[in-house]
Amino acid sequence: MSHPVMSQPQGGFAQYQSPQWQTDLFDCCSDCGVCLCGIFCPLILGCQVASDMDECCLCGATMAMRSVYRTKYGIPGSLLGDFFATFCCPHCSLCQLKRDINKRKDMGVF
């Protein structure tokens, strides 16, 4: 008999990175290129995110990718929050993830 998971494990690198999203969910104007790609070419942006995270291209815009990323960097949140972000605002959620990846790359912590 398996027991349900009640909490997510924290990533090993969380103590070295900023434990928050680098931009807000609706902060699209902070990177217009990512925003435009997310609106008009979300599959391409999803593949870029998946490639950045060394995952399959089909995984880029999913709740699982957001949860894995959030857990790796110790960003507060929950699976339910990840679900609602990706279900209710899929383009904004994808853009936020790509902006965060870009900012962490610029800081040298990705």
Side-chain angles (χ1 to χ4, degrees):
M1 181 169 135
S2 65
H3 299 282
V5 176
M6 300 305 286
S7 65
Q8 293 182 20
Q10 294 300 311
F13 301 104
Q15 65 270 20
Y16 301 111
Q17 280 78 35
S18 174
Q20 61 188 355
W21 289 105
Q22 301 298 308
T23 60
D24 290 330
L25 184 63
F26 301 111
D27 196 9
C28 293
C29 294
S30 67
D31 189 331
C32 291
V34 169
C35 181
L36 290 172
C37 188
I39 291 171
F40 296 109
C41 305
L43 294 176
I44 292 172
L45 189 61
C47 285
Q48 288 177 359
V49 166
S51 176
D52 289 339
M53 295 180 65
D54 295 325
E55 296 289 341
C56 172
C57 185
L58 299 175
C59 300
T62 63
M63 175 194 139
M65 288 293 281
R66 183 177 176 88
S67 297
V68 166
Y69 184 84
R70 188 178 49 71
T71 301
K72 178 178 179 180
Y73 289 101
I75 300 169
S78 67
L79 293 174
L80 188 60
D82 294 334
F83 170 77
F84 280 115
T86 56
F87 182 76
C88 296
C89 306
H91 298 283
C92 294
S93 173
L94 179 60
C95 290
Q96 181 187 33
L97 187 54
K98 181 60 177 168
R99 287 192 310 268
D100 204 270
I101 289 170
N102 290 346
K103 287 188 178 280
R104 290 184 194 272
K105 281 182 177 180
D106 291 344
M107 294 186 302
V109 294
F110 182 78

